[in-house]
Structures are given as structure tokens and as C-alpha cells.
Amino acid sequence: MAIEARQRTTIPFYRDTRIIAIILQVIFALVVLGVIWYLYSNMMDGLRRSNLLPSFSFLAQPAGFPISESPVAYDPSRSYGYAFLVGILNTLRVAVVGIILATILGVILGICRLSSNWMLRNLANLYVEVLRNVPLLLQLFFWLALTQTFPRVQEAVSLGGLVYLHNRGVTMAWPQANPDFGAFAPWLWAGLVAGAIFYVARRVQFARRDRPGVALPWAMLLAGGIVLVGFVVTRLIYGQWPVALEIPELDRFNFSGGITVTTNFAALLFGLVIYTAVFIGEIVRSGIQAVNKGQREAARALGLNGGQTLRLVIFPQALRIMIPPLTSQYLNLTKNSSLAVAIGFPDLFAVGGTILNQTGQAVPVILMVMASYLTVSLLTSLLMNWYNKRIQLVER
């Protein structure tokens, strides 16, 4: 009787919602795969008829086109693969320098928006409200047009004798290694190794004692002290500093010494930094305001002044709130650098577009560009997520 009752209460499979859900998901997956296969087949048929089947063999062929700016040696006889690498390096250069400068400017901007000084606070508010409502591409055009108004090299605008603005770009003083740098290199490595060993030893010591502590500043101080001693010793033995600041000097037609970046690079960097700093400043402001006011009152009770309270109490706690949205802004800056194609800077997207036009290999080139941006974004996210976990409070 019990078996008959169980059979009568069994739900048919076509009425069981769990089985129906599984069947619908399988059908949906098959439909999606079918659509993808249909599109892929049509694409391959079209490319086959045009004799443009996807292939990466073109990467070994000579590129045959110049690149106006490259951090490494390049000439048109190099391969397409090498040219693509130059585009990646140009994008990384813009992204790394832009992230550093935008972070510094954004932190200053966020603190200024909370300042008790009326003029400073309102100037920061004006900066935010104006620049975040103007499209980035338009700002890049503005900075490019501004750099085109710089005077000739012979009439370059000097900023303290270290930076010169002219119509060929921006020339800056830059550190250069002297012939005796090889004698200083062991001191440099010794400082780095000693600092790393000290940092690891202190962290292990804190973990064994089960108490918090600060190891990084002291490790950096130790490494810096060793490097400084080596710097001075090299100067005393060989009669010159191992690294010297090379000051640009104006010759008849151009500057010699220092480093020069093109107007396109300067316009792109200015635009990205000034635009991204607006959003970083808002993140900093909201992070500081999110810290409980009791923390400020406790800091004042301990006798800390305003600057010490912000640096030692408020900002470290606000970092835990700021890191996730900061990661998004760093990724946005990296991806927004693709707008360089509009102002003539040879970044990854611009170089990839030139390779695509010359070879006709649209699918491989687009996949390479997408994979490059994806790799840079994932590495940035990985680094920021690691740092975010390092500074998070751990429940005991």
C-alpha cells in the first residue's frame, strides 16, 4: 500500500520545475552555441572568399611603416610583431605615468574639497564640476591644440631651467648614468636585498609575537641608507656622482641632453591625468567622509593636530573604502588611453589599426588588441585586489 501511495504522489518529469529548468537551460545553451557557430561559419566563408583567412604569420613580416614615438629602438624594417610590441609599451608608459600623476592630483583635490579654506574649497569644487562634465575626447583636442601654440625651439618657454615647452614637445632634465655607475650598482643591489631581508624578518617577528607593527618604512630607510652611502663612496673614489641630472641645453636647432616627449604624448597625458583626477578626488573625498567622526575626536584627544590626524588616523582607514573604486578608475584610465588614436599618438590601438589596414588581418589583430587590454586590466585588478586584502581588517 505504501508503494502504491508513493507512486501516486510522484510528479511527472514534464511537471517537475527543477527538470524543466534544467531542460530550458540546456536548450538556451544549445541555441547560443548554434548562433555563435552560424556567425563563425559565415565569417570564415566570407574571409575565405576574400582570401583573408585568419593567420598570425604576418607578425614576422617587415612592418614598413614608421612610429613617431617609441621607448625602444624601432625602424620600419622591424616586424609587425615588434611594431605591435612598441604600441603596447607606449600604452603602458601612458598608463603607468598617468595612474601615478592622477593619484597624486586626485588625493590633493579630494583633500582640498574638504578644506576649511573657502577659496581652496571652492576652486576644487569648480575644477570638479567643470572637468567631469566635459567629454574626455574634447579635452584631449583642447590640450593638443594648446601644445601646438608653443613657440619654436629657439624661443622655448623655460620652467626653472629644467623644463622647456616648445612646438616639438616638452624637454625635461633627466637622470643619466655616468661611466662609473657599474661601481655603484653593487651598493644598489645590496640596499635592495638588505631592505627585503629586514622587511621579511620583521614581518615574521610580528607574526610570532601576534602583534601589529610597521616594517616597510624602516626597511625602505635601511635600503635608502645603504644606497646613499654607496652613492657618496662612489663619488669620493671616482670623483663624480654615479647618476647625474642631465640639464637640457639649447643648440642651434634643437635641445641636447635631458629627455623630450612629443606634443601628442604630452596632450594625451595631461588630458588623462586631469580628467581622471576628478573622479579620484571624489573617491578620496567620500572615503575620508565615510570614516566615523569619533576617530577625529579620539585623535584630537590624543593631542594630534589636523595634519597628523588626517595622515595617521583618517587616511589609513579611508584607504579600505577607496581601493575598490580606485581600481575601476585605474582601469578606466588605461582603457581611455585608446583615445590617443584621435590625436596622433601611436598607442596600442593606433598601431594595431595601422597593422590591420596594411595586412587585412582584421580578426587576428583585433583579438591581439583585445587580449593586450584584457591582460593589462587583469594584472592591474590583481595587484589592487592583493593590496586591498593586505589593508583589510581581519576579524579574530
Side-chain angles (χ1 to χ4, degrees), residues 59 67 70 72-75 78-87 351:
L59 292 176
I67 297 179
S70 172
V72 294
Y74 173 83
D75 61 80
R78 296 280 190 166
S79 65
Y80 282 114
Y82 192 85
F84 192 82
L85 176 63
V86 170
V351 173

Side-chain angles (χ1 to χ4, degrees), residues 15-48:
R15 295 178 58 188
D16 192 332
T17 56
R18 294 173 299 175
I19 297 178
I20 293 174
I22 294 174
I23 294 174
L24 290 176
Q25 292 178 37
V26 172
I27 293 174
F28 178 77
L30 291 176
V31 170
V32 171
L33 290 176
V35 171
I36 293 175
W37 177 254
Y38 174 76
L39 296 175
Y40 173 78
S41 301
N42 282 351
M43 179 188 72
M44 294 302 294
D45 289 340
L47 292 175
R48 188 178 295 108

Side-chain angles (χ1 to χ4, degrees), residues 283 286-287 290-291 317-325 388 391-392:
I283 292 171
S286 60
V291 178
Q317 297 182 64
L319 267 179
R320 301 187 179 101
I321 305 170
M322 294 188 297
I323 292 301
N388 188 38
I391 65 174
Q392 288 297 321

Side-chain angles (χ1 to χ4, degrees), residues 251-370:
D251 295 334
R252 184 176 180 183
F253 298 108
N254 206 345
F255 282 96
S256 61
I259 186 174
T260 300
V261 296
T262 63
T263 55
N264 306 84
F265 177 82
L268 178 64
L269 186 62
F270 289 164
L272 290 175
V273 168
I274 291 175
Y275 180 77
T276 309
V278 172
F279 301 96
I280 293 179
E282 289 295 273
I283 292 171
V284 171
R285 178 188 60 81
S286 60
I288 292 175
Q289 288 182 322
V291 178
N292 193 293
K293 66 177 182 179
Q295 300 293 321
R296 296 179 177 83
E297 296 171 353
R300 293 193 187 98
L302 292 174
L304 300 180
N305 57 34
Q308 291 173 329
T309 299
L310 179 64
R311 179 170 54 89
L312 301 176
V313 179
I314 304 300
F315 205 81
Q317 297 182 64
L319 267 179
R320 301 187 179 101
I321 305 170
M322 294 188 297
I323 292 301
L326 277 178
T327 303
S328 297
Q329 290 305 317
Y330 292 163
L331 297 180
N332 286 339
L333 187 147
T334 302
K335 290 180 288 188
N336 285 339
S337 66
S338 61
L339 294 175
V341 67
I343 60 174
F345 179 73
D347 75 321
L348 168 61
F349 189 73
V351 173
T354 304
I355 295 175
L356 187 154
N357 291 332
Q358 292 195 179
T359 62
Q361 292 289 342
V363 175
V365 172
I366 292 175
L367 287 177
M368 290 168 56
V369 173
M370 291 174 59

Side-chain angles (χ1 to χ4, degrees), residues 28 41 53 83 117 129 168 194 205 216 232 252 263 315 358 364:
F28 178 77
S41 301
L53 284 175
N117 185 295
E129 295 302 328
R168 296 183 184 177
Q205 186 181 35
L216 184 59
V232 174
R252 184 176 180 183
T263 55
F315 205 81
Q358 292 195 179

